[in-house]
Amino acid sequence: MAHHIVKVLQANYINHDVKRFIVEKPAGYFFQPGQGCYVAINQPDWKDKFRPFTFTSLGDWPYLEFTIKIYDEHKGVTNELGKINADAELILQDAFGVLQYKGPGVFIAGGTGITPFISIFRALRTMNLMTNNMLVWSNKTSDDLFLEKELEEMLGDDFVRIFTREGVIGFMERRIDKKMLIDIIQDFGRHFYVCGPKDFVSQISAHLVTLGARADYIVIDQK
């Protein structure tokens, strides 16, 4: 597996626990929207601790972008990423991932499961192919949102925000269950893209199949 040492060009928080990293792009480095790679911090105690993160940039951009949730309480790789700034170095492996766009459909994300969808949406927007795509994004509270304005511009009324732990006027406060899927989606003959924590992906996928979605039309990625 190839390793690429790259410099961090920019690093900044875009909400209370999500940090955006702009890093150098190795010559000839290639990935598809929806893919990610294993990343480590190029420091003695961390250079062998690789974790998977999704690209939120596009393949033709001159740099790579990662949008990463920082877990301070875990004292692990993301906690350490929360401390680094421009001029730090990361180690990247080659791109991987199976979450690829198959056609218009419904994207269902739990928390930072939104990240592979960001690159896909940005690619679709450049090709004027956003029509007939919907995003259903579940978070604990409104404070967990990021890139909300950009998503609104791309999706308009097809951007559905759901909060599980906070009542916010104008938005839904409940967990995604079969009844909610029926209310929001109605047509289950479309492609579905599901990404988030393992239990979230498993439950949503099971609900979709029960409601008539074709199993081979459901593309999943677990975080």
Side-chain angles (χ1 to χ4, degrees):
M1 178 68 70
H3 285 188
H4 311 272
I5 297 177
V6 297
K7 183 177 290 187
V8 176
L9 304 175
Q10 296 178 34
N12 62 285
Y13 279 89
I14 57 175
N15 76 5
H16 66 101
D17 65 355
V18 174
K19 194 171 183 180
R20 175 178 179 259
F21 295 88
I22 300 295
V23 306
E24 292 176 328
K25 184 178 181 181
Y29 196 89
F30 177 80
F31 67 93
Q32 296 278 6
Q35 290 188 311
C37 73
Y38 279 89
V39 178
I41 302 167
N42 193 24
Q43 296 174 0
D45 293 337
W46 296 96
K47 63 182 181 180
D48 296 322
K49 295 179 172 63
F50 284 88
R51 298 293 184 271
F53 298 111
T54 308
F55 303 108
T56 48
S57 49
L58 295 182
D60 60 355
W61 289 9
Y63 55 82
L64 300 175
E65 178 188 82
F66 297 95
T67 305
I68 298 173
K69 183 169 183 176
I70 306 300
Y71 294 92
D72 291 336
E73 66 276 13
H74 292 180
K75 306 306 178 186
V77 172
T78 68
N79 174 259
E80 199 65 23
L81 284 169
K83 303 174 185 177
I84 69 172
N85 295 297
D87 293 330
E89 289 183 340
L90 303 179
I91 307 170
L92 312 182
Q93 294 183 358
D94 289 335
F96 76 96
V98 298
L99 205 162
Q100 296 183 10
Y101 185 69
K102 306 290 186 180
V106 180
F107 293 75
I108 304 175
T112 52
I114 186 73
T115 52
F117 299 161
I118 292 169
S119 181
I120 291 172
F121 289 152
R122 286 172 169 172
L124 293 175
R125 181 172 58 177
T126 64
M127 298 182 286
N128 294 317
L129 293 176
M130 283 300 298
T131 305
N132 296 322
N133 286 295
M134 172 186 287
L135 170 62
V136 181
W137 189 12
S138 177
N139 284 285
K140 292 177 183 177
T141 73
S142 56
D143 289 338
D144 297 316
L145 293 171
F146 54 91
L147 300 180
E148 185 179 15
K149 183 176 180 181
E150 181 179 359
L151 292 167
E152 285 178 344
E153 291 172 350
M154 290 192 287
L155 291 150
D157 292 338
D158 291 320
F159 175 21
V160 180
R161 282 148 285 198
I162 297 169
F163 302 115
T164 60
R165 296 188 185 176
E166 176 184 321
V168 180
I169 295 174
F171 301 107
M172 300 182 181
E173 183 194 5
R174 54 190 277 204
R175 294 188 179 277
I176 300 176
D177 55 19
K178 286 195 289 187
K179 184 179 184 304
M180 175 179 285
L181 291 171
I182 293 170
D183 291 343
I184 295 172
I185 297 170
Q186 300 173 357
D187 174 15
F188 289 88
R190 295 186 276 179
H191 290 283
F192 290 91
Y193 307 86
V194 186
C195 188
K198 182 177 179 180
D199 288 346
F200 176 89
V201 171
S202 177
Q203 291 169 9
I204 297 300
S205 299
H207 289 331
L208 291 171
V209 171
T210 300
L211 292 169
R214 287 175 46 173
D216 59 339
Y217 271 38
I218 302 174
V219 182
I220 67 171
D221 190 6
Q222 296 175 172
K223 292 297 180 187

